[in-house]
Amino acid sequence: EVQLVESGGGLVQPGGSLRLSCAASGFTFSNYWMNWVRQAPGKGLEWVANIKQDGSKKYYVDSVKGRFTISRDNAKNSLYLQMNSLRAEDTAVYYCAKGGDGYNPWGQGTLVTVSS
Amino acid sequence: SYELTQPPSVSVSPGQTARITCSGDALPKKFAFWYQQRSGQAPVLVIYKDSERPSGIPERFSGSSSGTTVTLTISGVQAEDEADYYCQSADSSGTYWVFGGGTKLTVL
């Protein structure tokens, strides 16, 4: 069974940092683009970033460029999102999702709250 | 920045057909994907590449494309189909991905 499990969320002050992780299992992780998507409370989905199979290409939504860094460790079947200079508007549930023909499946999400 | 436009809400009675549209300038050149998100749950892919259905998704879910608009059709709507539905596609460069604002499907 393909499974994605996010971790690392929590409460952080504005300007702080947080590193999210996504543990993948049930598929050959190194064969797929991987993605981060977020959802602010009561709002819609927002694509955040994605990374190519070998990590050679990374893309970000404009609002996180220069603050967030996506990375992966294919040996550990893991995806990461390093979030720096966090703002209140970054408060959201962050999902990782396996790429391919659509984002399928998604993890259960991890909540990041940016507040003083 | 690129945008996909969906109606905020659609309401249908059980057994009827629900149609949810999504409009975007690059849709004639880029595939669209559809996700169902039930309350409190993670999204689930229901349609990929405009009209393909992943394994495990009921046949009542279908997708179509015409010009700058793609449509998710749910035939014979059931109570369990009540959820938020999001379209997704890439911009014309294929580099950046976007989601539509979402459509809340209410089963009356």
Side-chain angles (χ1 to χ4, degrees):
Chain A
E1 178 193 7
V2 176
Q3 193 170 15
L4 299 169
V5 179
E6 302 94 336
S7 60
L11 175 63
V12 61
Q13 293 187 337
S17 298
L18 214 53
R19 188 195 195 207
L20 305 184
S21 299
C22 171
S25 60
F27 65 102
T28 305
F29 182 74
S30 58
N31 285 355
Y32 293 91
W33 281 79
M34 292 297 296
N35 311 275
W36 287 102
V37 178
R38 68 183 178 182
Q39 186 170 35
K43 302 297 184 182
L45 302 173
E46 180 181 38
W47 172 78
V48 174
N50 62 6
I51 184 169
K52 194 178 178 181
Q53 290 91 329
D54 62 359
S56 62
K57 293 185 177 182
K58 306 174 184 181
Y59 300 104
Y60 302 90
V61 68
D62 285 348
S63 58
V64 308
K65 282 179 183 176
R67 301 188 300 122
F68 290 12
T69 301
I70 188 172
S71 62
R72 64 191 296 162
D73 185 334
N74 288 342
K76 295 183 177 179
N77 292 336
S78 293
L79 176 72
Y80 306 101
L81 187 66
Q82 177 67 44
M83 304 186 295
N84 299 330
S85 303
L86 282 161
R87 307 167 179 166
E89 54 264 35
D90 296 317
T91 293
V93 174
Y94 285 74
Y95 296 98
C96 67
K98 170 180 164 285
D101 287 331
Y103 290 8
N104 184 25
W106 299 51
Q108 86 289 349
T110 188
L111 176 62
V112 172
T113 303
V114 184
S115 174
S116 55
Chain B
S1 61
Y2 185 50
E3 293 184 356
L4 297 173
T5 302
Q6 298 180 234
S9 63
V10 168
S11 299
V12 295
S13 299
Q16 290 190 327
T17 297
R19 294 181 179 85
I20 300 172
T21 59
C22 172
S23 299
D25 291 340
L27 288 176
K29 302 181 291 292
K30 298 298 180 187
F31 283 127
F33 304 82
W34 289 95
Y35 301 89
Q36 176 194 66
Q37 186 179 33
R38 294 188 174 113
S39 180
Q41 297 185 19
V44 172
L45 178 71
V46 294
I47 294 290
Y48 66 97
K49 292 185 177 180
D50 291 348
S51 59
E52 300 296 319
R53 195 173 52 250
S55 61
I57 300 301
E59 291 184 6
R60 64 180 181 273
F61 288 86
S62 63
S64 61
S65 176
S66 179
T68 59
T69 299
V70 293
T71 302
L72 172 69
T73 301
I74 310 172
S75 304
V77 167
Q78 300 181 7
E80 67 194 47
D81 299 330
E82 186 163 283
D84 293 324
Y85 290 85
Y86 296 89
C87 61
Q88 180 202 31
S89 189
D91 67 355
S92 56
S93 72
T95 301
Y96 301 101
W97 290 84
V98 293
F99 289 92
T103 299
K104 181 176 183 58
L105 175 66
T106 300
V107 181
L108 301 171

